Amino acid sequence: MRPQFAASVFAGLTGLVVAFQLALALGAPWGQVAMGGAFQGVFPPAMRLLALLQAVVLTGVAVVVLCRGGVVLPRWRGACRWLAWMVVGLTAVAAFLNLITPSATERLIWAPVACALLVTSVRVALAR
């Protein structure tokens, strides 16, 4: 898989996660498929703010991967090398947490996405 393709897949999947987080922040009643299913229905205000923060961080993470993959900001590609490895660490933790979540629905929906993010981020981080 070419790094540019892997970065694009990563960005597309991250876009889905960002949209989900924004929906949670705006009051979508999907709490049972996020954060281990600890909140049924609409997130409380503090969790909605956290969902918004996650959307912002994930957007930055996608830019790092797109940069390292040579899709955007080509002059920053080398500078994104170590940041890409930080993304790999982040996605590894996310994949692990989504695989062990007590929420079966969350595991069914987000574990495959998190694992795909891990695989594509590793591919991009390994790019020359």
Side-chain angles (χ1 to χ4, degrees):
M1 170 179 0
R2 297 184 57 190
Q4 295 86 355
F5 179 73
S8 297
V9 170
F10 184 95
L13 289 173
T14 301
L16 291 174
V17 179
V18 166
F20 177 74
Q21 292 296 330
L22 290 174
L24 288 172
L26 293 172
W30 301 332
Q32 67 276 6
V33 292
M35 303 302 262
F39 303 95
Q40 296 296 310
V42 177
F43 270 5
M47 292 306 295
R48 291 171 74 176
L49 186 59
L50 182 60
L52 182 60
L53 178 62
Q54 286 179 337
V56 171
V57 169
L58 287 169
T59 299
V61 164
V63 170
V64 166
V65 172
L66 287 169
C67 176
R68 182 67 190 142
V71 178
V72 301
L73 305 169
R75 294 174 67 184
W76 287 74
R77 189 166 188 251
C80 287
R81 177 182 301 263
W82 68 273
L83 290 172
W85 285 108
M86 289 181 66
V87 171
V88 169
L90 180 70
T91 58
V93 169
F96 176 74
L97 292 175
N98 277 286
L99 287 167
I100 66 163
T101 181
S103 169
T105 307
E106 181 180 6
R107 196 169 42 252
L108 178 70
I109 295 170
W110 296 117
V113 173
C115 289
L117 290 172
L118 175 58
V119 169
T120 53
S121 68
V122 167
R123 175 60 188 105
V124 171
L126 289 171
R128 295 182 184 216

